[in-house]
Structure formats: C-alpha cells, structure tokens
Amino acid sequence: MKSSKNYEVIIIGGSYAGLSAALALGRSLRHVLIIDSGMRCNRQTPHAHNFLTQDGEAPGAIAEKARQEVLKYETLEWIDDLAVSGSKTENGFVISTQQGAEFNSQKLLFASGIKDIMPEIPGFAACWGISVVHCPYCHGYEFRNQRTAILANGPRAFHLASLVSNLSKEVSILTMGKANFSETERERLNRQHIEIIEEKLAEIVHENGHVKYLSFKDGGEKTFGAVYAAPEFVQSSDIPVALGCELTEPGFLKVNNMQATTVPGVYACGDNSGMLRSIANAVYSGNLAGAVLNKELTEEQF
Ligand SMILES: Cc1cc2nc3c(=O)[nH]c(=O)nc-3n(C[C@H](O)[C@H](O)[C@H](O)COP(=O)(O)OP(=O)(O)OC[C@H]3O[C@@H](n4cnc5c(N)ncnc54)[C@H](O)[C@@H]3O)c2cc1C
C-alpha cells in the first residue's frame, strides 16, 4: 500500500502530545496525518492525576476523549500503524510504516514518547504505574502516609526523598549497592529520619500490581505501600536520530523553545523531548508545536 497523498504535517504518535498539536493544526485547516501504534507509556496506570478537569480519570479514557474531539476536524486523518523509517525528500519527508504504507509530508512532528526499560527485578514490571510509580505529583497523594521506598541513588534519590518526605514520614531509600550521598545530604536525610538501605532488592512481592512487601537478597523483608523508581529509558522511535536529530545528554530529543529539533522541518513534543513528564506538559508542548508548525507553513505559503 503506497499513498501519493502529500500531507502538510505527519504526526508520529497520537497520544496527549500528538493530539494536542493536531488540534491546533486541524483548527487551522492543515492537512495532517496522525500515525499511532497505541503504546502510551501510562497504559498500565489505573488513574491519572494532576491534569486539570480530568483528575483521577483513566489515562485511556482521557486519550480516547481527546482523539474523538480532535478527529472531528475534517483535515485530520488517523491511522493505527507503526512508523518504521523516514527520510528526507526534495520537498519534505517520506515515512514508511510497518503495514507497508508510505506517506509524504512537508513537515514532521514526533510525539512518539519514550520507552521505559523495566529493570530485571521480579514484580517491577507488573507493579509499574500501579504501586511502583515515577512521580510524586501524579501519584504521591494517593500513597500519602504510607511507608514508601525510593529505588534510586545519588542526586535523583535525594531529590525524590525531599519531595516524598512531605507526603509520608516513613521513607526509605534503596540504593541497591553503595549509597552515593555527600556528607551534607546524609545529614539532611538523617534529620528527616530517612533510612538508607544498601542491600539489593530480590523481588517486589505484589498482588495484581499492588506492592505487599519487598524481599532483599540477604533474605530480609520489609513492607511498603509504594515504591518510586526512575527506570532507564530510550526513545520510542529511532526515526528522529536516523534523520539526524541530536539528543541531549540524558537522551531526550534536543529542541529549542519552539519545539524545533536540530533538523529543519522536524519538530518534537511531549515526553520524547522534555524532562517534565506529565500529561499537562505533553498537552502544552504539543499545543505549542502545532502553532509553530502552522506559523512555519504560513510563512512559506503566504
Ligand atoms: C506509569 C506512568 C504513569 C503516569 N501517570 C501520570 C499521571 O497520573 N498524571 C500525569 O500527568 N502524567 C502521568 N504520567 C506521565 C504521562 O503519561 C506522560 O507524560 C504522557 O503520556 C506523555 O505523552 P506523550 O504524548 O508525549 O507520549 P505517550 O503518551 O507515551 O504516547 C506516545 C505515543 O506515540 C506512539 N508511537 C511511538 N512511536 C511510534 C511510531 N514509530 N509510530 C507510531 N506511533 C508511535 C505510541 O504508541 C504512543 O501512543 C505517567 C507516566 C507513566 C510512565
């Protein structure tokens, strides 16, 4: 299946960031194709929080409501597919998909998110987004006053511990090996009665994703209600890098304050290009990218 249709913009990723950009572009009568593979990063989470008007709603319900709202605009098209490669053409770009389609566009917007790499700790993946969480703003209130573990070391662990200490008075940092804190950091953690456990974790014992207790390699066990973790991640799509887009040191797509990547005509928004990982930020950056793309197309055509 090949398409001769030339879109003004192809958006890769039809979750919160991509749909937010599509809304701005659809309302400007731009011809846009959204390609989405249906793998939102929060798909295992029962409730999303900290997003105004939708606090506590299921993440899938928010995405579906957004999709229905956005696809009312007649110049927007959607396909369920995976974009597998992309290259530059004389007038823009061509994107190929897993189902064998090929689509052309003048501009590209990557709203493709990031892929969390689950550590090889039994129970971790099953609890991810349910009781093993990434962010106190999204899930901290629900676990307030519960015994809480922070699975991290160094500055990341210190930062999370400082935020979580306002939500629970029983906080332990699990460093999975030698703790890496300065003397001052240790003093401040001690002052807050935050325990540091260096013993390696053997398993997160859970029931349907809800942590019951943690078991350690030395045979010890400890009960916790919640675990914070910051797993390693990779870009969900490797097309931007193949096109020449630069990454930042932590692995995000490098964008300027207008969501433009380092390759002309290629934009990025949402989790793939920003450290502030929230639906609100994905919607914000998508909205900005949509407006900037429309402005760029206008300047080229007007
Ligand atoms: C477990 C968990 C729980 C969270 N809970 C909350 C919460 O309660 N509140 C909150 O505000 N935030 C929460 N977040 C953060 C929030 O989910 C993300 O910030 C947000 O989903 C980012 O939106 P996005 O559109 O950038 O990426 P995503 O929502 O991850 O969507 C990316 C989309 O791109 C598609 N895609 C990727 N590559 C391709 C390709 N090559 N071709 C086609 N499609 C592609 C994917 O299938 C997916 O649909 C949570 C995150 C996680 C991981």
Side-chain angles (χ1 to χ4, degrees), residues 39-239:
M39 294 295 280
R40 261 181 305 103
C41 64
N42 61 3
R43 59 193 179 279
Q44 193 166 276
T45 298
H47 304 282
H49 294 279
N50 204 33
F51 182 44
L52 215 56
T53 77
Q54 305 295 317
D55 194 39
E57 184 55 280
I62 302 173
E64 185 50 31
K65 187 172 181 215
R67 197 174 87 98
Q68 284 177 17
E69 242 174 51
V70 166
L71 292 182
K72 280 193 290 210
Y73 291 90
E74 66 274 20
T75 57
L76 303 182
E77 292 175 41
W78 170 286
I79 58 160
D80 293 307
D81 205 344
L82 179 77
V84 289
S85 64
S87 51
K88 187 107 190 62
T89 61
E90 204 181 320
N91 302 315
F93 303 91
V94 59
I95 291 289
S96 307
T97 74
Q98 195 171 54
Q99 290 173 30
E102 220 172 73
F103 301 103
N104 295 288
S105 69
Q106 294 170 47
K107 312 281 175 195
L108 286 181
L109 173 60
F110 287 90
S112 37
I114 55 175
K115 207 182 289 173
D116 299 295
I117 300 165
M118 298 291 101
E120 285 177 12
I121 300 169
F124 188 102
C127 294
W128 179 236
I130 300 169
S131 59
V132 176
V133 295
H134 78 297
C135 157
Y137 298 105
C138 300
H139 306 289
Y141 182 85
E142 283 62 43
F143 294 114
R144 66 195 181 282
N145 304 325
Q146 295 193 33
R147 189 185 271 187
T148 303
I150 293 171
L151 185 54
N153 202 349
R156 173 81 189 145
F158 186 81
H159 172 66
L160 269 172
S162 67
L163 294 179
V164 174
S165 67
N166 201 42
L167 296 160
S168 168
K169 294 298 160 217
E170 290 182 285
V171 179
S172 307
I173 297 177
L174 315 186
T175 55
M176 298 278 275
K178 198 168 164 29
N180 175 23
F181 297 111
S182 66
E183 268 315 302
T184 324
E185 284 172 336
R186 271 185 190 274
E187 270 169 33
R188 288 173 68 185
L189 293 170
N190 276 340
R191 219 183 304 144
Q192 300 294 331
H193 308 289
I194 293 173
E195 178 187 32
I196 299 171
I197 300 176
E198 294 185 331
E199 186 56 43
K200 289 203 171 131
L201 198 52
E203 184 176 354
I204 300 176
V205 181
H206 67 97
E207 204 171 279
N208 300 323
H210 297 278
V211 181
K212 285 172 71 187
Y213 61 91
L214 304 185
S215 74
F216 293 87
K217 292 243 160 124
D218 66 0
E221 290 176 359
K222 211 165 172 130
T223 308
F224 287 98
V227 179
Y228 286 85
E232 302 283 303
F233 73 89
V234 290
Q235 287 287 323
S236 293
S237 170
D238 49 17
I239 302 172

Side-chain angles (χ1 to χ4, degrees), residues 93 108-112 235 239-241 243-247 252-269 272-273 289 292-293 296:
F93 303 91
L108 286 181
L109 173 60
F110 287 90
S112 37
Q235 287 287 323
I239 302 172
V241 169
L243 284 169
C245 295
E246 282 176 41
L247 296 177
F252 296 106
L253 289 169
K254 195 187 249 183
V255 288
N256 66 11
N257 59 4
M258 293 287 134
Q259 304 301 136
T261 70
T262 51
V263 172
V266 181
Y267 287 74
C269 58
N272 64 10
S273 47
V292 172
L293 276 160
E296 194 169 298

